């Protein structure tokens, strides 16, 4: 591949604030360098020492890394541990009465829960799960709103060695069904409904619908947590109320000690082809990744109030809500609602109210809050903040500067964290007391994370040219497999051409100082509001509509969401125009909302009698992408079978 041109030139540099640097766990560049050198000199020794130090093992491991069946790497494989024990029990001796979770509901009500109370509730729920026949290796689907219960459900599964798979509450019954079947779930945990921005969201009814779709015979029970009190359908043979089954149980549940490689969870994420991929994570290595990144990147201290705004339905809500903060004995804020309700000052008001010191959110949220109230943060006391973070997509330098000035008052470093569902934890991100920041760059890899930029054949790219972002060595919190599909795992992440390098699927370049700049995805995966959406999934959903003959999805840059979704659609009947086109577009958008979930609804739908295709019948997405952006098509279209179609597709229906 000829190297990818970068158009972004950003020269501003921000050194760590002196007071921050002095107090930081890793203070000054030499300290960061020393950690990187230690990892380089003895890679496995470096990780072994951290694993011994940071994790409480039931049985210590003797072998650090087993590469004999690469790329199915095994870390700490003969060690035994329990993730829930590490997140809760080990804090009880010294911090039993420390607040673990500060839960703020959509309407502003606050519920605190200490480590001791969390221990009792997780134990009771774990015992209740056991009573329903759930045990080691069983898969449990969790489809819950952001709540204390969502965290309890995840921790309870971990406690008994059951493997959870959390499905984001915004996904439709169809998407939920697909995941229940693929993972072979035995149990579904849900709520009657959720509350977001003052509106009720139905959850249990989606589970009911999903379970009628077939292939879910393994599901014996549905546990429902009562959140909203709405009327729901009830199947007495199958359904159980959370409060009923929890009440009868004992306050203690002995943790099930599992092998370090035992899957802690499976989380689905979009790929460019086929159905979503069930990303399988381990227990030991995953936990180590979550812990080290909390310490290195968030510089987490016992006195911090930590708040990661991500939903537990995404990897960020796994590593930096359900596991990382608890493993460190942190006090964290958990939020049920949305950043814009009752107004766009909600985040800032909550930071003031709970004295949040570390705040972690997504660029898409930052951009929308700038638009809705760029000076709203000034109305609140944000002096408790000492560190800010971002995740999910590149942050544009202007949004970065606003975050830095208006929220961080030029005092708080910003950790722009690059990572993925598959990496389990941060990979490239500043250690904020050590590394100077450049707006828009995720800076440098974490110690013990060996990244590179290469050509399509795996050759290292010298200098500052762009190319494929890869990881050169296995790391503890890496994906272990795509659930039930070893071939797809190898093909997706360790393609033969790359000779053992992990392919992240992003393009990036490195500047003269060794800083990484992420340029975007190399596959057909869109990044909409920090969430990966497969174009193929949306196309399949559209084609499943009886009106649609053919569909192609492309992304288009969007001021707030990062990327918006443009659909090119060919109907089975005539190409609609005017009001008719608008009505069908609305109908198709709702259809996609129902098939996948509201986040996948196309922002724009354009109808054509056909799509631009090569003579061999391949859809030319490159042209569709240019059309969506409104660019003139100047490239060679001589291979196109039907050039006239381009003119027709320029017109949007809405
Ligand atoms: O393209 C990169 C982008 O999000 C992808 C991973 O998406 P997902 O697995 O859903 O996880 C999101 C939360 C970790 C990456 O391949 N991405 C994530 N963080 C950044 C980013 N792009 C640029 N800068 C980031 N900080």
């Amino acid at each position: 591949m000829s190297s990818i041109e970068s158009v972004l030139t950003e020269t501003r540099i921000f050194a760590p604030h002196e007071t921050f640097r002095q107090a930081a766990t890793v203070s000054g560049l030499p300290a960061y360098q020393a950690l990187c050198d230690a990892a380089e000199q003895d890679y496995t020794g470096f990780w072994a020492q951290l694993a011994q130090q940071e994790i409480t093992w039931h049985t210590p491991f003797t072998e650090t890394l087993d590469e004999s069946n690469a790329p199915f790497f095994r870390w700490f494989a003969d060690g035994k541990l329990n993730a829930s024990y590490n997140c809760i029990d080990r804090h009880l001796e010294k911090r039993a009465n420390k607040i673990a979770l500060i839960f703020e509901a959509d309407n502003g009500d606050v519920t605190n829960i200490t480590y001791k109370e969390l221990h009792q509730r997780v134990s009771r729920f774990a015992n209740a799960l056991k009573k329903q026949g759930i045990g080691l290796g069983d898969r449990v689907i969790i489809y819950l709103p952001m709540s204390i219960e969502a965290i309890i459900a995840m921790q309870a599964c971990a406690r008994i060695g059951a493997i959870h798979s959390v499905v984001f509450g915004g996904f439709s019954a169809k998407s939920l069904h697909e995941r229940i079947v693929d993972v072979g779930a035995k149990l579904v945990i849900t709520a009657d409904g959720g509350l977001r921005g003052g509106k009720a969201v139905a959850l249990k009814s989606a589970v009911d619908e999903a379970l009628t779709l077939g292939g879910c015979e393994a599901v014996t029970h549905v546990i429902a947590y009562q959140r909203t009190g709405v009327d729901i359908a009830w199947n007495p043979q199958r359904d159980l109320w959370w409060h009923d089954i929890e009440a009868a149980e004992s306050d203690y549940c002995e943790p099930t000690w599992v092998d370090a490689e035992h899957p802690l969870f499976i989380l689905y994420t979009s790929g460019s082809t086929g159905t979503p991929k069930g990303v399988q994570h381990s227990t030991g290595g995953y936990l180590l990744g979550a812990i080290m990144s909390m310490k290195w990147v968030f510089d987490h201290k016992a006195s911090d109030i930590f708040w990661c705004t991500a939903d537990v339905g995404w990897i960020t809500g796994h590593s930096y809500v359900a596991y990382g903060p608890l493993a460190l004995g942190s006090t964290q804020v958990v939020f049920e609602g949305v950043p814009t309700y009752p107004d766009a000052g909600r985040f800032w008001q909550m930071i003031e109210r709970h004295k949040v010191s570390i705040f972690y959110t997504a660029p898409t949220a930052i951009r929308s809050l700038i638009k809705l109230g760029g000076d709203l943060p000034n109305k609140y006391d944000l002096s408790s903040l000492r560190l800010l973070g971002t995740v999910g997509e590149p942050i544009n330098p202007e949004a970065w500067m606003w975050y830095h000035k208006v929220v961080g008052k030029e005092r708080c470093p910003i950790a722009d964290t690059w990572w993925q569902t598959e990496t389990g934890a941060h990979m490239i991100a500043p250690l904020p007391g050590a590394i100077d920041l450049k707006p828009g760059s995720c800076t440098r890899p974490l110690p013990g994370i060996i990244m590179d930029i290469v050509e399509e054949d795996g050759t290292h790219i010298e200098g500052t040219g762009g190319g494929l972002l890869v990881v050169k060595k296995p790391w503890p919190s890496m994906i272990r497999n795509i659930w039930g599909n070893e071939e797809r795992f190898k093909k997706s992440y360790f393609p033969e051409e790359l000779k053992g390098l992990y392919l992240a699927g992003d393009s990036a370049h490195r500047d003269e100082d060794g800083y990484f700049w992420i340029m975007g995805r190399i596959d057909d995966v869109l990044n909409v509001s920090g969430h990966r959406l497969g174009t193929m999934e949306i196309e399949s959903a559209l084609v499943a509509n009886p009106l649609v003959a053919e569909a192609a999805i492309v992304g288009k840059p969007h001021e707030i969401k990062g990327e918006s979704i443009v659909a090119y659609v060919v109907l089975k009947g005539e190409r609609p125009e005017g009001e008719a086109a608008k009505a069908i577009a609305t109908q198709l958008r709702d259809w996609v909302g129902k098939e996948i979930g509201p986040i996948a609804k196309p922002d724009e739908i354009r109808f054509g009698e056909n799509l631009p295709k090569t003579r061999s019948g391949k859809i030319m997405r490159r042209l569709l992408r240019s059309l969506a952006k409104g660019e003139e098509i100047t490239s060679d279209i001589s291979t196109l079978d039907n050039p006239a179609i381009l003119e027709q597709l320029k017109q949007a229906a809405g």
Side-chain angles (χ1 to χ4, degrees):
M1 167 168 82
S2 58
S3 64
I4 302 167
E5 282 292 312
S6 162
V7 287
L8 193 70
T9 43
E10 173 60 56
T11 50
R12 287 170 285 198
I13 296 187
F14 297 84
H17 197 277
E18 195 46 27
T19 41
F20 188 97
R21 190 188 60 74
Q22 277 176 12
T25 310
V26 180
S27 177
L29 194 59
Y32 162 76
Q33 202 53 58
L35 286 169
C36 296
D37 293 347
E40 191 142 314
Q41 277 151 23
D42 177 8
Y43 190 68
T44 51
F46 174 79
W47 283 115
Q49 197 196 351
L50 292 173
Q52 280 152 3
Q53 219 170 280
E54 303 292 341
I55 289 176
T56 309
W57 295 90
H58 181 71
T59 311
F61 60 91
T62 59
E63 190 186 10
T64 305
L65 171 62
D66 173 4
E67 301 185 85
S68 60
N69 188 27
F72 299 93
F73 299 101
R74 291 157 61 81
W75 284 89
F76 321 122
D78 60 348
K80 280 187 186 287
L81 76 161
N82 180 280
S84 168
Y85 181 91
N86 274 274
C87 290
I88 307 174
D89 304 45
R90 66 169 170 168
H91 309 310
L92 294 182
E93 197 186 323
K94 293 204 181 109
R95 290 189 283 260
N97 294 318
K98 182 173 177 178
I99 291 173
L101 309 175
I102 302 171
F103 174 70
E104 182 163 321
D106 192 52
N107 70 359
D109 287 353
V110 172
T111 312
N112 291 337
I113 170 164
T114 63
Y115 274 92
K116 188 171 158 200
E117 289 162 340
L118 186 62
H119 182 251
Q120 290 171 348
R121 289 209 55 199
V122 168
S123 286
R124 271 193 256 143
F125 194 64
N127 285 329
L129 291 179
K130 280 205 224 166
K131 205 160 272 174
Q132 301 312 321
I134 302 299
L136 188 69
D138 288 335
R139 274 85 61 205
V140 172
I141 289 272
I142 298 177
Y143 187 64
L144 281 170
M146 277 303 276
S147 52
I148 291 174
E149 283 67 19
I151 294 166
I152 291 176
M154 294 165 82
Q155 286 284 338
C157 287
R159 197 161 186 91
I160 61 173
I163 305 167
H164 61 69
S165 186
V166 183
V167 178
F168 174 56
F171 279 123
S172 68
K174 275 284 282 284
S175 302
L176 176 63
H177 171 255
E178 191 171 27
R179 288 157 174 76
I180 293 173
V181 173
D182 190 79
V183 88
K186 235 174 131 173
L187 181 86
V188 179
I189 304 172
T190 188
D192 51 355
L195 284 166
R196 283 169 69 79
K199 289 191 215 98
V201 194
L203 290 168
K204 169 75 165 53
S205 57
V207 174
D208 292 340
E209 189 185 334
L211 293 181
T212 59
L213 295 176
C216 308
E217 291 71 28
V219 176
T220 51
H221 287 102
V222 173
I223 298 176
Y225 153 60
Q226 193 168 33
R227 173 68 188 102
T228 60
V230 290
D231 273 345
I232 50 173
W234 199 256
N235 174 346
Q237 271 84 51
R238 188 197 67 190
D239 299 346
L240 302 159
W241 280 116
W242 177 306
H243 50 262
D244 285 345
I245 57 170
E246 186 190 349
E249 295 301 333
S250 129
D251 280 352
Y252 182 71
C253 171
E254 175 71 15
T256 300
W257 307 107
V258 300
D259 293 344
E261 281 298 320
H262 180 68
L264 180 61
F265 63 86
I266 296 158
L267 182 62
Y268 284 83
T269 191
S270 295
S272 55
T273 54
T275 52
K277 303 186 266 199
V279 173
Q280 177 186 325
H281 275 289
S282 69
T283 302
Y286 171 79
L287 204 59
L288 186 61
I291 293 173
M292 291 325 300
S293 49
M294 285 293 299
K295 292 201 163 182
W296 283 334
V297 180
F298 292 135
D299 187 46
H300 187 275
K301 308 261 177 18
S303 54
D304 276 311
I305 309 283
F306 182 82
W307 184 19
C308 162
T309 66
D311 192 284
V312 290
W314 311 110
I315 189 68
T316 311
H318 281 61
S319 304
Y320 302 109
V321 179
Y323 291 106
L326 293 179
L328 265 73
S330 175
T331 294
Q332 68 172 318
V333 174
V334 175
F335 179 39
E336 180 180 40
V338 295
T340 48
Y341 178 81
D343 62 43
R346 184 70 182 263
F347 274 179
W348 325 123
Q349 183 206 11
M350 283 180 63
I351 290 170
E352 174 184 282
R353 184 178 190 190
H354 303 297
K355 302 200 167 36
V356 171
S357 57
I358 303 174
F359 179 65
Y360 189 38
T361 196
T364 182
I366 296 169
R367 287 191 297 264
S368 73
L369 294 178
I370 295 174
K371 192 155 181 203
L372 291 169
D375 53 6
L376 272 178
N378 295 327
K379 280 178 53 188
Y380 298 92
D381 176 7
L382 304 182
S383 58
S384 57
L385 285 173
R386 63 180 200 92
L387 176 64
L388 302 172
T390 71
V391 59
E393 52 184 312
I395 177 161
N396 46 309
E398 288 331 298
W400 195 100
M401 286 308 297
W402 178 87
Y403 201 31
H404 175 66
K405 282 193 179 145
V406 184
V407 181
K409 312 294 181 209
E410 299 183 39
R411 189 172 34 81
C412 307
I414 297 179
D416 176 350
T417 61
W418 179 89
W419 59 297
Q420 312 178 289
T421 305
E422 295 86 344
T423 68
H426 301 155
M427 299 293 278
I428 314 179
L431 270 54
I435 293 183
D436 293 356
L437 306 174
K438 301 186 186 188
S441 166
C442 47
T443 76
R444 298 170 63 171
L446 266 53
I449 300 294
I450 319 294
M451 309 281 313
D452 200 3
I453 292 171
V454 300
E455 305 277 4
E456 268 171 5
D457 63 358
T459 321
H460 166 78
I461 295 179
E462 288 293 340
T464 58
L468 306 181
L469 183 64
V470 296
V471 192
K472 287 172 75 174
K473 273 179 186 283
W475 65 103
S477 67
M478 69 190 295
I479 175 176
R480 293 307 197 263
N481 195 5
I482 291 176
W483 182 251
N485 201 337
E486 297 192 344
E487 275 315 303
R488 194 171 176 202
F489 168 77
K490 284 194 273 190
K491 250 176 85 182
S492 306
Y493 304 113
F494 294 94
E496 261 169 44
E497 323 77 86
L498 291 187
K499 305 168 193 84
L501 303 173
Y502 167 87
L503 175 69
D506 282 359
S507 58
H509 75 99
R510 207 171 0 200
D511 68 16
E512 300 76 20
D513 301 325
Y515 279 49
F516 284 76
W517 299 79
I518 306 297
M519 293 154 71
R521 301 279 314 168
I522 53 166
D523 52 21
D524 283 333
V525 173
L526 307 181
N527 190 330
V528 179
S529 303
H531 300 306
R532 272 155 71 179
L533 293 175
T535 50
M536 162 104 175
E537 281 165 77
I538 310 175
E539 286 164 8
S540 311
L542 278 169
V543 178
N545 185 290
L547 295 175
V548 177
E550 227 180 350
I553 295 288
V554 297
K556 164 177 160 181
H558 186 276
E559 206 188 324
I560 291 174
K561 299 202 286 187
E563 255 182 318
S564 65
I565 306 171
V566 181
Y568 291 92
V569 172
V570 181
L571 296 184
K572 286 180 186 153
E574 298 243 309
R575 172 174 178 261
E577 286 183 76
E579 288 308 310
K582 282 205 179 118
I584 297 179
T586 309
Q587 201 180 328
L588 293 180
R589 253 200 296 272
D590 291 346
W591 171 270
V592 174
K594 219 169 163 296
E595 290 282 302
I596 305 177
I599 45 169
K601 282 186 183 182
D603 298 81
E604 242 179 77
I605 297 188
R606 300 184 185 191
F607 294 103
E609 281 156 12
N610 203 341
L611 297 173
K613 288 184 190 144
T614 60
R615 293 200 183 103
S616 59
K618 228 174 138 176
I619 299 174
M620 294 191 70
R621 288 164 193 282
R622 181 172 51 81
L623 296 180
L624 291 175
R625 246 175 254 134
S626 301
L627 275 184
K629 286 191 211 156
E631 291 170 358
E632 273 311 310
I633 300 204
T634 49
S635 60
D636 180 18
I637 52 168
S638 59
T639 54
L640 207 58
D641 191 34
N642 49 353
I645 206 71
L646 294 178
E647 203 45 48
Q648 197 180 67
L649 289 172
K650 274 188 192 162
Q651 297 150 33

